[in-house]
Amino acid sequence: METIKKYILKYKFLILVNVILIIFVSALKALQAILFKIIVDTSVGNLNYSISTLIWYSVGFLIAVFTAETLSKAASSAFNKKVLIDYKQSIIESFINSRRRKITSSGLISLLSNDVRMIESNYLTSLINIMEDVLLFIVSLYLILRINVYLTIVIFIFGWVPVIVPQLFTKINQELKGQYLKKLERFTNRIKEMAQGFEVIKAFNIENKILNMTSKDNKDAEMAGYKSDAFQGFQGALSIVSGFAMFFVNILVATYLVLRGYITVGSMIAAVQLMNYIVNPLISASVYGTKIKSVEKIADKIQKEIIDVSKEEVSQGDKPFEFKNSIEIKNLTFSYDGKRNALSNINIKLDKGKKYTLVGESGCGKTTLLRVLLNHITDYEGQVLIDGVDIREFDPASYYRKVSIIQQNVFMFSDTLKNNICLYSECSEEEINEALRQSGLVHVVEKLPKGLDTIVGEGEVELSGGERQRIAIARALIKKAEILLIDEATAALDKVTASDIERILINLDATVLAVTHKLDPEILKRYDEIFVMRDGEIIERGTLDELLNKRGYLYYMYNYGIDEKEEMKASEEAI
Ligand SMILES: Nc1ncnc2c1ncn2[C@@H]1O[C@H](COP(=O)(O)OP(=O)(O)OP(=O)(O)O)[C@@H](O)[C@H]1O
């Protein structure tokens, strides 16, 4: 709740404007009761106002109510708008500033739409309504006290009944709402998956299975929503019935007081009206209380999982990045879950400008090692030193200016090819042309209808896997990356394209550490050193010839292939 509270307090002036307008609205509502009293008492001869005066009073009252209500709603909407813009922005900033992605894309979308909307309707609006209710309560209580003390005491005693009764069910209500949100998130995730996996679904003919799962999640979410709404309805009905019960008790007492001549008929009508303003806030206080509590859970989750995490991570190094000689990984051990090591006692040295490759079976820790070098994982044992400086000490902005990663899936923004290559940084025409030439993109650009200004990305001009890889290379070239990390970049490409891309990568003027799954000798022999990984450890190292002559694990993987069965056999024989 910390962040949302911070933004609420940021707009003190708007809060003040809201309070002033709410005071007007509340005073006017209470004034309506007094106006009733005057009109009724005039009608029965207790007061002496002319009809034209009463009409003027009424018209004046209506104009005042209209103005105050309109301004008050506009002020509360303005307050909500300001707080929500800041809050959403802080979530987006925390997400983008995290080292590691802690939330799925659909989780983030659901959070910024469903959860934030819930915070608006259940928290911010409730706060404004509570303020209005409290003021109305105070003014009405004062007026009703002036009408009759005994009546006030009775209202006070019985007024609590409709407040206490629904409170008994608050916990169940919260639980049902929590379940609803969970199921809604699952449904949103499923829809996202369905859209993203469209081709896989078609290719494997699993439309019906996916439809069944989606339909189940849809029904589950709506069912959970229905249960939550129905229970809230039950809770609301209880409030209403207990409110009515209390109303009858009070009106009977008021009637008794009129009959005994303690109050006028006009005062009784005013008292009935004021009674609502005293009891309704008591009832809605519990409803707002429930709403606010249900939101606290959501806001705390957002705080803990996104905002606080990125704040902790922001405390990073501040040294400007420099790389002259070598990267040394010393006794590196890391575990994701604290139980099984994804990396165990890794010791390697990468000299500037040389090309290295990591090979090993699936799940042996290759990507994890790249994540460490990317500074995305920092909570490991051991050290990664660049010219003797721990990489965690470098200022991240300065570090990422010189380090680049190329992955199998190259993400494309729905924007021009130029912006996709320069990634929204300034880059000169010469730089772009040179990058296009080196990455083999010149012909690709020539083929596009508007050249570099062609919009590419999902739903636009779609590029092939190889073309995307070339764009990733062009990005690294524009950036003049000194360290290039490559994670199975060519795994999905045909042999000719893969070999061409690998050739470009190997000739780049950067220190390259490339993960590869393919044991293609034509590719492997180009690297200065091959690191062979198994179960998080580096078990062999050397050039391709050295490793093949050694007849160790790589030799066996190479001869038996790297598919699962063969892999098992190879590894057993190698030991
Ligand atoms: N975010 C994560 N949380 C928990 N465990 C993880 C996470 N990422 C990877 N792992 C585990 O760590 C181990 C090493 O994974 P890693 O992705 O580094 O392997 P890899 O060699 O790159 O595999 P592949 O070739 O299939 O990409 C695996 O057992 C994997 O299940």
Side-chain angles (χ1 to χ4, degrees):
M1 287 306 286
E2 197 183 314
T3 306
I4 189 109
K5 282 184 182 154
K6 181 177 94 189
Y7 292 126
I8 289 174
L9 294 176
K10 183 174 159 191
Y11 297 104
K12 292 193 181 73
F13 177 70
L14 258 182
I15 295 180
L16 184 71
V17 172
N18 269 287
V19 171
I20 292 171
L21 287 167
I22 288 168
I23 290 175
F24 272 111
V25 169
S26 313
L28 283 169
K29 281 187 180 167
L31 198 67
Q32 185 203 12
I34 304 300
L35 202 57
F36 268 16
K37 174 181 155 47
I38 293 171
I39 293 170
V40 173
D41 279 344
T42 306
S43 71
V44 294
N46 287 341
L47 289 172
N48 266 335
Y49 288 95
S50 69
I51 289 291
S52 62
T53 313
L54 292 180
I55 290 172
W56 279 120
Y57 278 181
S58 306
V59 171
F61 173 78
L62 291 176
I63 293 171
V65 170
F66 177 76
T67 316
E69 283 282 354
T70 311
L71 292 177
S72 172
K73 289 290 168 284
S76 67
S77 300
F79 175 70
N80 283 2
K81 178 194 77 181
K82 294 242 180 214
V83 173
L84 286 182
I85 289 175
D86 282 356
Y87 189 51
K88 281 201 265 185
Q89 199 57 31
S90 84
I91 294 174
I92 294 167
E93 278 171 19
S94 303
F95 173 78
I96 206 83
N97 288 331
S98 296
R99 276 173 196 263
R100 254 191 284 167
R101 200 166 78 166
K102 300 266 167 34
I103 185 168
T104 61
S105 46
S106 36
L108 183 70
I109 292 165
S110 152
L111 190 146
L112 282 169
S113 45
N114 301 338
D115 293 5
V116 169
R117 210 34 72 208
M118 193 85 116
I119 288 176
E120 180 190 11
S121 60
N122 282 5
Y123 190 74
L124 297 178
T125 310
S126 295
L127 287 184
I128 302 270
N129 290 343
I130 287 174
M131 238 193 292
E132 188 176 326
D133 279 358
V134 167
L135 287 166
L136 196 53
F137 177 87
I138 294 169
V139 178
S140 304
L141 188 64
Y142 168 74
L143 292 175
I144 215 162
L145 257 175
R146 297 209 44 184
I147 291 172
N148 189 280
V149 177
Y150 298 114
L151 190 58
T152 315
I153 294 172
V154 172
I155 290 171
F156 235 76
I157 293 172
F158 290 95
W160 288 104
V161 176
V163 179
I164 293 163
V165 174
Q167 281 289 352
L168 306 170
F169 301 97
T170 307
K171 212 168 167 203
I172 305 177
N173 191 9
Q174 271 179 16
E175 239 158 59
L176 289 174
K177 192 150 264 167
Q179 280 171 17
Y180 170 52
L181 276 178
K182 235 191 209 162
K183 296 203 165 154
L184 197 62
E185 189 182 337
R186 194 193 297 170
F187 175 61
T188 320
N189 278 339
R190 184 77 72 196
I191 293 295
K192 181 97 196 294
E193 253 175 39
M194 190 179 77
Q196 283 181 339
F198 188 78
E199 269 84 26
V200 183
I201 295 169
K202 290 275 151 199
F204 288 86
N205 212 8
I206 50 171
E207 290 95 334
N208 284 340
K209 280 210 168 110
I210 298 291
L211 264 180
N212 286 344
M213 287 194 287
T214 315
S215 144
K216 185 179 176 303
D217 287 337
N218 186 9
K219 279 185 200 147
D220 281 356
E222 285 312 317
M223 187 47 126
Y226 162 73
K227 280 186 192 163
S228 167
D229 285 351
F231 193 80
Q232 222 166 345
F234 161 74
Q235 215 180 357
L238 262 184
S239 299
I240 292 168
V241 166
S242 39
F244 275 153
M246 191 231 52
F247 175 78
F248 284 121
V249 171
N250 291 339
I251 198 120
L252 289 173
V253 172
T255 312
Y256 171 78
L257 292 173
V258 173
L259 292 175
R260 300 303 296 264
Y262 291 119
I263 56 173
T264 64
V265 182
S267 296
M268 177 177 142
I269 297 220
V272 169
Q273 188 67 24
L274 294 170
M275 221 188 284
N276 287 332
Y277 295 148
I278 291 179
V279 176
N280 286 348
L282 292 179
I283 298 170
S284 34
S286 72
V287 175
Y288 295 138
T290 316
K291 281 185 172 184
I292 286 174
K293 269 195 193 142
S294 73
V295 162
E296 270 173 8
K297 257 193 188 164
I298 301 171
D300 284 344
K301 186 175 145 229
I302 296 175
Q303 184 78 37
K304 218 171 99 201
E305 290 180 9
I306 302 194
I307 299 174
D308 288 349
V309 167
S310 81
K311 267 192 216 150
E312 281 165 25
E313 288 173 348
V314 164
S315 52
Q316 298 161 355
D318 53 7
K319 284 198 178 148
F321 175 65
E322 254 194 299
F323 178 35
K324 289 204 174 91
N325 298 312
S326 64
I327 304 169
E328 261 186 287
I329 300 180
K330 287 185 169 174
N331 309 322
L332 175 69
T333 297
F334 171 73
S335 166
Y336 283 101
D337 54 12
K339 292 177 200 145
R340 207 171 56 88
N341 284 345
L343 297 174
S344 291
N345 200 26
I346 305 270
N347 285 287
I348 55 177
K349 186 163 175 264
L350 313 174
D351 288 326
K352 189 173 166 103
K354 289 197 173 172
K355 317 291 180 239
Y356 300 86
T357 183
L358 275 172
V359 299
E361 65 198 52
S362 183
C364 69
K366 303 182 294 290
T367 302
T368 307
L369 186 56
L370 295 194
R371 283 191 195 139
V372 168
L373 284 164
L374 270 174
N375 233 346
H376 288 175
I377 294 176
T378 51
D379 47 344
Y380 47 79
E381 285 171 35
Q383 274 186 311
V384 179
L385 304 169
I386 298 188
D387 294 344
V389 179
D390 192 306
I391 56 165
R392 290 169 290 197
E393 290 178 27
F394 288 121
D395 163 42
S398 143
Y399 187 65
Y400 294 125
R401 263 197 291 277
K402 294 290 167 207
V403 180
S404 225
I405 177 135
I406 300 182
Q407 286 158 315
Q408 194 175 323
N409 290 321
V410 180
F411 183 78
M412 303 292 288
F413 292 91
S414 287
D415 207 326
T416 60
L417 184 61
K418 183 179 171 206
N419 281 341
N420 265 291
I421 293 175
C422 299
L423 287 178
Y424 305 102
S425 304
E426 282 294 311
C427 52
S428 68
E429 208 169 306
E430 293 87 68
E431 280 175 316
I432 299 180
N433 288 339
E434 182 55 23
L436 293 180
R437 193 188 60 73
Q438 282 197 51
S439 58
L441 273 172
V442 176
H443 294 304
V444 178
V445 176
E446 279 170 3
K447 268 190 331 201
L448 291 173
K450 289 187 184 168
L452 278 169
D453 293 324
T454 308
I455 308 273
V456 293
E458 206 182 336
E460 308 287 346
V461 173
E462 302 251 5
L463 298 171
S464 72
E467 288 164 347
R468 283 164 178 251
Q469 288 303 336
R470 290 178 202 277
I471 286 174
I473 295 171
R475 282 174 182 170
L477 285 167
I478 291 274
K479 205 168 117 166
K480 298 188 178 61
E482 292 179 12
I483 299 172
L484 197 54
L485 305 170
I486 301 164
D487 196 358
E488 311 247 16
T490 56
L493 303 180
D494 63 84
K495 209 171 169 198
V496 177
T497 316
S499 173
D500 191 37
I501 301 254
E502 297 263 358
R503 183 188 49 76
I504 297 171
L505 290 171
I506 234 91
N507 289 320
L508 291 179
D509 185 24
T511 309
V512 170
L513 178 61
V515 162
T516 180
H517 208 83
K518 285 185 186 165
L519 297 182
D520 181 345
E522 286 308 309
I523 293 172
L524 288 181
K525 73 178 185 201
R526 293 172 182 159
Y527 287 96
D528 293 301
E529 195 169 2
I530 300 168
F531 299 113
V532 184
M533 284 189 80
R534 188 169 186 230
D535 292 338
E537 289 178 56
I538 305 268
I539 54 165
E540 284 173 14
R541 62 184 77 203
T543 61
L544 180 65
D545 285 345
E546 283 165 1
L547 291 174
L548 292 181
N549 287 337
K550 194 176 161 193
R551 294 183 165 248
Y553 185 63
L554 183 93
Y555 174 84
Y556 283 93
M557 279 205 296
Y558 179 65
N559 279 309
Y560 285 99
I562 201 162
D563 76 53
E564 270 175 59
K565 264 193 200 152
E566 305 284 28
E567 227 173 67
M568 292 287 294
K569 208 168 154 194
S571 43
E572 276 160 19
E573 284 183 39
I575 294 161

